[in-house]
Amino acid sequence: MSESLSIEVEFIGGLEMFFSNQKKHKLQLPSKDENGQAANMRFLIQYLAKYHMKNPKKEMFLLNGGIRPGILVLINDADWELEGEDDYELQDGDNVLFVSTLHGG
């Protein structure tokens, strides 16, 4: 296994404003978390919040350390619920899309 994973992450539906108003991010992510376990979605979410989220309102993306309800997550165009949600082990070349379904009005 390589030392890092190439992952493409995309934010739409307004989430991009929390990530430097940039929709697409190409990341080199460590292949293992701080405990030596394979990097999974839980690790990616925390990594994004810590290193890439420029807006201090992290509660708009996270709730209790996980993805806030109302945010749809797709892994390689499949609903993450079908892939094991935050336990999904990331693979080199994965594409992860976060879509906000929350709208003001």
Side-chain angles (χ1 to χ4, degrees):
M1 181 184 268
S2 68
E3 297 288 324
S4 66
L5 301 171
S6 294
I7 305 287
E8 185 168 306
V9 178
E10 189 172 355
F11 302 96
I12 59 175
L15 288 174
E16 63 275 8
M17 70 184 191
F18 299 108
F19 295 89
S20 303
N21 285 317
Q22 184 178 344
K23 288 185 178 186
K24 290 189 178 184
H25 298 258
K26 292 184 187 263
L27 305 179
Q28 289 296 317
L29 191 71
S31 62
K32 296 187 183 286
D33 66 16
E34 58 279 352
N35 298 318
Q37 301 297 312
N40 59 18
M41 284 296 293
R42 184 178 303 108
F43 174 72
L44 174 63
I45 292 162
Q46 296 304 315
Y47 184 89
L48 289 168
K50 184 174 183 179
Y51 296 110
H52 293 279
M53 194 169 185
K54 303 304 181 194
N55 190 305
K57 294 184 177 183
K58 296 196 187 314
E59 69 274 6
M60 299 302 289
F61 183 63
L62 299 175
L63 182 65
N64 299 324
I67 290 295
R68 179 175 198 73
I71 297 176
L72 176 66
V73 182
L74 300 177
I75 302 169
N76 302 321
D77 297 323
D79 189 327
W80 82 323
E81 291 178 359
L82 301 173
E83 301 291 342
E85 298 183 347
D86 54 3
D87 289 328
Y88 172 80
E89 289 185 9
L90 295 165
Q91 305 295 314
D92 194 52
D94 276 348
N95 181 287
V96 180
L97 173 66
F98 295 92
V99 183
S100 176
T101 62
L102 306 173
H103 302 282

